[in-house]
Every structure is written in structure tokens, then in C-alpha cells.
Amino acid sequence: MPDTSPAAPPAPAPAFRPVSAFDVPRYAGPASFMRLPLVDIDAAAAAAVEIGILGVPWDGGTTNRPGARHGPRQLRDLSCMLRPLHPATGDDPYARAAVADLGDVPVNPADLMDTLQRITGFYERVKRRGILPLSAGGDHLMSYPILKALAADGPVGLIHFDAHTDLFHDYFGGFRYTHGTPFRRAIEEGLVDPKRVVQIGIRGTMYDGSDVAWGLAQGVRIIRIEECEARGMDDVMAEARAIAGTAPTYLTFDIDCLDPAFAPGTGTPEIGGLTTREAQRMLRALAGLNLIGADLVEVSPPFDPAGGTAWVGASLMFELLCLLAVSPALRGRAG
């Protein structure tokens, strides 16, 4: 019988390989995510990029401890420690896809609403190029303008790792755009399908429970950390996969999903969170989902100047990169 399996995509050009520490010491040369080439989104070379890693150096939605605007720079610096092969699977994401650092998204630290428009506009250009974005924050409000670009054609699913639901209606007497409101806005505006949203790791003291009540009323699946522990990580992730299904899905990971023993450098830490090992296992369970993009947010270097939190964040970004490299959305682009 003839072979009907899909043809493998062509191998990425060598220009999109990370610089090897066998050739250049990790601390030398220009800083870029994973030591990848820096490519301008409007340059001719961007036409060959399949996965773009971007920084969003902005924390204008922060309501308490700031500093996440400095996250992308420290994440870039610490990502120089990463090697190409996945430790558990042996997979090489750079052999599957052409990956580049697309630099930082333009922001306006003096104007929140202007920055939201700038972020959406930049990701619209990324989408037109057919590039799957992997983004480093920045506070969690940034996911909302990213979704405005990526979900312009219709609602997507959402897998959301966090200590907090980010489903509040407003702060400070009616202000609707903070890092506690992005997914309320995304659901209200039809950017995500609430019945395909799963939130994992939720915990901590609460204001009044209105965020949880609203989310449940919309059909959001909220899995608190206690349920994760009682059921086991594999069972929880099997449910997350079922909720996402085969349709396009976005993945967002707030570093405060982790216990502050592992990631103290964040604005709103909550005790009793995931370990780094649990986070790796849970992300790896999502391989093969139809992911159209991902982000890692809320790394705040001023609260961990030694870089331990950023090292955790960069390592989890590599896990996210490996998920994007096997996403059906990427294979569809190649086809």
C-alpha cells in the first residue's frame, strides 16, 4: 500500500540554530532568547521564521509589586544556559522548526491603553507572517492584547496555569484593565470560548469569590491546587487536554503558579504552589495539542536579583517551545 503519512517538514536552515556553548561561551556574544538569531519582524528573513520568541517588557497592569517589565531581559540572559535537546524526550525543537528571537514588542510605559494597542498591532504582524509566538512577560494583562490579535478570526481555547483566576471585572472603582482582569475581558469579547478554558493551580486567600463565581457561571473549568494534589497531575492534565480538544488553543503560564520557594521573583506570590518538577510534568503532558501560541509572565527580577526565578522561567519557556514545535498549527503552516 502507498505511504499516506504526512511528509515531514523541511529541515530548518542552519541559521536558525542556537549558538553552541562548544563554540562561544554562554556569557559571551549578544543576548537573545535561547542564543537564537535576532530577526526583525519586517525583515525578509522573518518570512522563514516559524516560531518567534518575543519579550513584552511592560508591567502597566500591575496593582501591587511591580518589576515584571524587567522580566524579558533577565529571561533572555538566563536562557543562555539552555541546550537544544529536551532532557526527557531527546527531541530537538530547532530541528522541527525555524525559531528566532523577534526582539521586544514596542510598549509605552506611560500609557496603558496605548500599550494595549501597540501589543495587539505587533502580534497582528506576527500572525500575518504565520509565526507562532512564544512570549515572555511582563505582567499578565499582556495576554489580553495578544489574544485580540491571535483570536481575531474566532474564539480559541485557553490553558491557564496560575495561582489566580484573573477573572475580576474591575479594580479601583471601575478600571477594567489590570493583570487581574485579562481573561474576563477575553471571554466578554469572544476571544476565548469559556467552555474550552481550564485554569490550573488556583489558590490563595480571596477577596470575595466573585471572580470564581463568574468564571464558573460562564463554564470555565477551575482546578484548584488542592484538587491537583488529590487527583494527581496526570489525571488533571488528561482533563485539560479533553477540554482543549483539537481546536486552536492558547497556553499561558504565570510564574506564580509555582510555589515561591521555587519562584520568589514575582509580584503576587502564593504559598502551596506547584514544584518545578510538577510544572515540567504537566506541560509535557500537553504535547500534540493544537497550540497557536504561548506565554510565560510575571517574572519580576527586582524580587529575585540572583536570577533563580528567571532561570525557572526560561526553563519552562523551553518546555513551551517544545510544545509549539510539535503543534498541529505549526504543521499546518508548513503544509
Side-chain angles (χ1 to χ4, degrees):
M1 296 180 62
D3 182 6
T4 59
S5 59
F16 291 100
R17 298 290 305 176
V19 174
S20 172
F22 286 148
D23 301 321
V24 180
R26 290 190 175 98
Y27 53 82
S32 67
F33 282 116
M34 321 300 184
R35 308 193 83 192
L36 288 161
L38 283 160
V39 176
D40 187 283
I41 188 63
D42 294 318
V49 176
E50 295 171 297
I51 300 174
I53 310 182
L54 307 95
V56 186
W58 180 72
D59 56 10
T62 300
T63 59
N64 184 24
R65 304 201 312 174
R69 66 182 62 188
H70 302 292
R73 179 165 294 186
Q74 196 180 55
L75 286 162
R76 271 193 179 88
D77 287 342
L78 272 295
S79 72
C80 73
M81 292 289 293
L82 294 162
R83 306 173 186 88
L85 298 186
H86 192 282
T89 66
D91 200 17
D92 179 350
Y94 311 107
R96 291 184 174 273
V99 189
D101 185 334
L102 299 182
D104 285 342
V105 178
V107 298
N108 179 352
D111 190 322
L112 183 150
M113 300 308 293
D114 180 47
T115 293
L116 295 180
Q117 293 178 3
R118 290 176 182 226
I119 294 173
T120 297
F122 194 90
Y123 281 84
E124 287 172 346
R125 292 155 66 193
V126 171
K127 183 181 178 181
R128 284 196 296 270
R129 286 284 197 179
I131 297 172
L132 302 188
L134 171 57
S135 308
D139 77 47
H140 218 157
L141 182 56
M142 69 181 236
S143 298
Y144 163 66
I146 292 173
L147 285 166
K148 286 193 75 170
L150 300 187
D153 300 327
V156 301
L158 181 71
I159 297 180
H160 174 196
F161 290 86
D162 207 322
H164 315 99
T165 67
D166 297 348
L167 291 173
F168 284 102
H169 183 266
D170 58 57
Y171 279 58
F172 311 116
F175 192 72
R176 294 159 53 86
Y177 300 98
T178 78
H179 64 170
T181 67
F183 303 115
R184 179 74 165 252
R185 300 288 87 82
I187 291 172
E188 290 173 343
E189 296 180 22
L191 304 176
V192 299
D193 177 356
K195 294 181 174 55
R196 293 185 56 234
V197 175
V198 56
Q199 300 184 319
I200 301 167
I202 306 302
R203 64 188 190 279
T205 55
M206 303 168 68
Y207 289 111
D208 55 11
S210 60
D211 56 326
V212 172
W214 186 87
L216 294 176
Q218 311 312 306
V220 174
R221 177 68 170 102
I222 300 174
I223 304 178
R224 292 185 55 84
I225 195 68
E226 293 83 4
E227 183 177 350
C228 291
E229 183 178 23
R231 291 175 55 189
M233 306 303 162
D234 293 342
D235 191 39
V236 166
M237 298 318 295
E239 182 184 0
R241 290 188 68 103
I243 291 170
T246 59
T249 300
Y250 190 78
L251 196 161
T252 182
F253 196 106
D254 188 325
I255 202 73
D256 71 26
C257 188
L258 303 178
D259 191 275
F262 301 94
T266 191
T268 316
E270 304 283 359
I271 68 166
L274 297 176
T275 68
T276 50
R277 184 67 192 89
E278 288 168 338
Q280 287 177 312
R281 180 172 179 172
M282 295 172 88
L283 288 175
R284 292 170 188 175
L286 298 175
L289 282 187
N290 190 12
L291 297 177
I292 60 168
D295 64 46
L296 182 133
V297 301
E298 297 285 1
V299 172
S300 181
F303 295 108
D304 188 6
T309 303
W311 169 232
V312 171
S315 299
L316 294 180
M317 285 185 68
F318 181 77
E319 299 285 347
L320 297 176
L321 173 62
C322 290
L323 295 180
L324 291 176
V326 296
S327 169
L330 181 71
R331 294 199 296 271
R333 177 195 191 278

